[in-house]
Amino acid sequence: MAATPPLPPFPATSTKSLKLSHSPLLLSSKNRSNFITSCEIRRSFENHRNWTIEHFSNMNNRDSIHSNNSNSFSSSLVSATASQLPMKNSKKVVLFYSAETKSLAYNIASESDAIELRSISWGKFPDGFPNIFIPNAQGIRGQHVAFLASFSSPAVIFEQIPVIYALPKLFVASFTLVLPFFPTGTSERMEDEGDIATAFTLARLLSNIPISRGGPTSLVTFDIHALQERFYFGDNILPCFESGIPLLKRRLQDLPDSDNISIAFPDDGAWKRFHKQLQHFPTVVCAKVREGDKRIVRIKEGEPKGRHIVIVDDLVQSGGTLIECQKVLAAHGASKISAYVTHGIFPNKSWERFGHDNGESAFTYFWITDSCPLTVKEVMHRPPFEVLSLASSISASLQI
């Protein structure tokens, strides 16, 4: 069959749009997976019985839409939309992971066919020092490589740093370090001579990761504790600061009382970090005031009465502040109280203070992400805790 001739040039003087009102559109395509295209033809048709719209996705793929019409066309709009044009190819990424992050790594890989998991042999010598081996190290040459880390203790940090320093030097195309929780974030300032800001120390340690063939290392981390900590990193690393708040917003939309949600911030620091992302919700701001030797939580602004209040912060350790906030919010008439933190640290099993095991919890829900894998293992399937996975967010970040 002879090819349909291309559309002749339109008159330069025409400024109107044309509409195809009677002819069906016939779509022919060599590749019908995952595409959406839209094309509009504006100007006028004068006595043209045939027209062709061609879409080129690359030099080897051409998708055409043909139409024949015996009628001459008057002015309006031609719009052809196809729902399956080839999308841009995803970047293939080889993802390594630490022992603690294995479960999260598998969840990330399930989000995209472009992510390939590779394991590392984590052993120890008789003296307790790390004995680490990367199988088939030559096989990652020229590939985009990422490492999913968990710095839950100084010991595991020391185990993972040698791997983090070694991977960029294996002739990889690029290297990305995914560190969901930056653990020393609360030690970001000096209040007295002799205080050590370990957040700055860890930032310097990561800033000295060797440069790969593709350039500086990319660092993906979530809800770092203090906003100024982004300036602790040097020029040899590119920090990408993500947030778990979008996960919370999607979860709140699924609640039966989603139209009765208010957000409470336990202090001004939490308000500064998160209020712009949650500006569409009514807010309550709490503050700690000192009375004698005690620090008491009070409501600074906002009205919790009759509302389902969700307390939002970046992390929780002992949980004392959240409990004090819950008490004052309940005293002011909140109908339900829940909590969200991106990083559930909970040292010494402090999460038990919030559980239902010893009676009804004061919290309806307590949401955390899987940024702290050891905590996730302990609280999984224990009400009021729910885990919101960062897997989809990390998968998307690896495509940047």
Side-chain angles (χ1 to χ4, degrees):
M1 180 181 295
T4 304
L7 184 68
F10 295 118
T13 58
S14 175
T15 59
K16 296 183 179 180
S17 299
L18 293 186
K19 180 180 181 181
L20 177 63
S21 58
H22 302 293
S23 262
L25 298 181
L26 304 177
L27 174 65
S28 63
S29 173
K30 293 182 180 179
N31 185 344
R32 294 182 174 272
S33 63
N34 301 326
F35 69 85
I36 296 178
T37 190
S38 176
C39 53
E40 293 184 348
I41 300 178
R42 299 181 183 272
R43 304 195 184 195
S44 66
F45 290 89
E46 292 288 347
N47 300 320
H48 295 308
R49 304 173 66 89
N50 301 314
W51 56 270
T52 300
I53 302 172
E54 293 188 331
H55 164 76
F56 293 86
S57 60
N58 55 45
M59 292 302 295
N60 297 318
N61 284 323
R62 186 178 71 181
D63 301 299
S64 302
I65 300 174
H66 304 286
S67 175
N68 298 316
N69 192 350
S70 59
N71 300 324
S72 60
F73 297 111
S74 60
S75 37
S76 81
L77 171 69
V78 174
S79 178
T81 302
S83 61
Q84 291 182 327
L85 285 175
M87 297 181 67
K88 183 179 178 181
N89 290 334
S90 298
K91 179 175 70 175
K92 299 292 185 181
V93 179
V94 175
L95 178 62
F96 292 92
Y97 51 89
S98 67
E100 291 181 7
T101 58
K102 181 177 180 179
S103 178
L104 177 56
Y106 274 80
N107 290 337
I108 295 170
S110 69
E111 294 286 334
S112 172
D113 293 336
I115 297 175
E116 175 190 351
L117 289 184
R118 295 277 189 94
S119 61
I120 294 174
S121 175
W122 302 93
K124 292 184 182 295
F125 290 109
D127 60 1
F129 279 83
N131 179 14
I132 306 167
F133 180 71
I134 302 173
N136 190 25
Q138 290 185 338
I140 62 173
R141 289 182 177 180
Q143 300 193 52
H144 299 286
V145 173
F147 179 73
L148 180 61
S150 175
F151 288 180
S152 60
S153 70
V156 298
I157 293 176
F158 185 76
E159 287 181 349
Q160 293 169 70
I161 286 295
V163 172
I164 293 169
Y165 274 46
L167 286 172
K169 300 174 73 173
L170 293 176
F171 292 91
V172 299
S174 69
F175 179 64
T176 300
L177 172 62
V178 182
L179 181 63
F181 172 49
F182 186 77
T184 58
T186 54
S187 300
E188 84 284 5
R189 61 185 182 271
M190 296 174 58
E191 295 182 351
D192 195 9
E193 189 67 33
D195 285 343
I196 304 298
T198 54
F200 181 66
T201 305
L202 183 57
R204 291 182 65 185
L205 189 66
L206 298 180
S207 298
N208 284 283
I209 297 172
I211 295 175
S212 69
R213 293 178 67 188
T217 293
S218 299
L219 169 67
V220 177
T221 193
F222 287 80
D223 292 323
I224 198 164
H225 179 67
L227 298 178
Q228 69 267 22
E229 291 178 43
R230 66 183 60 212
F231 303 110
Y232 292 176
F233 296 92
D235 294 338
N236 286 339
I237 194 166
L238 304 174
C240 178
F241 297 99
E242 300 284 6
S243 178
I245 294 298
L247 301 175
L248 171 65
K249 292 168 71 173
R250 287 196 290 270
R251 182 66 182 93
L252 294 181
Q253 290 175 356
D254 294 335
L255 295 180
D257 58 349
S258 59
D259 58 347
N260 192 43
I261 299 292
S262 291
I263 301 298
F265 300 107
D267 51 40
D268 287 334
W271 179 85
K272 290 177 182 178
R273 280 190 294 274
F274 299 123
H275 80 279
K276 289 184 178 180
Q277 296 186 71
L278 297 164
Q279 60 184 330
H280 299 298
F281 293 91
T283 58
V284 177
V285 181
C286 299
K288 296 176 183 177
V289 296
R290 187 175 295 278
E291 291 188 358
D293 295 333
K294 296 181 179 180
R295 298 189 71 183
I296 300 174
V297 175
R298 289 185 175 173
I299 294 178
K300 180 179 178 181
E301 60 182 79
E303 177 54 66
K305 186 175 182 180
R307 307 286 293 181
H308 181 176
I309 305 295
V310 179
I311 307 171
V312 174
D313 209 349
D314 63 317
L315 60 84
V316 58
Q317 297 215 36
S318 68
T321 299
L322 292 179
I323 290 174
E324 292 303 314
C325 284
Q326 183 276 327
K327 290 178 179 178
V328 71
L329 291 167
H332 282 75
S335 60
K336 295 180 183 177
I337 301 171
S338 299
Y340 165 86
V341 296
T342 302
H343 311 297
I345 306 169
F346 291 121
N348 303 316
K349 295 185 178 294
S350 57
W351 57 266
E352 293 179 342
R353 304 174 67 180
F354 300 90
H356 285 174
D357 293 344
N358 299 318
E360 189 68 22
S361 172
F363 289 83
T364 304
Y365 300 99
F366 199 128
W367 294 290
I368 64 172
T369 74
D370 44 5
S371 66
C372 299
L374 298 182
T375 298
V376 170
K377 290 181 180 179
E378 293 181 331
V379 305
M380 187 68 75
H381 308 304
R382 291 178 180 267
F385 291 101
E386 287 187 10
V387 178
L388 308 178
S389 181
L390 297 172
S392 61
S393 301
I394 294 174
S395 177
S397 297
L398 292 177
Q399 294 298 316
I400 297 176

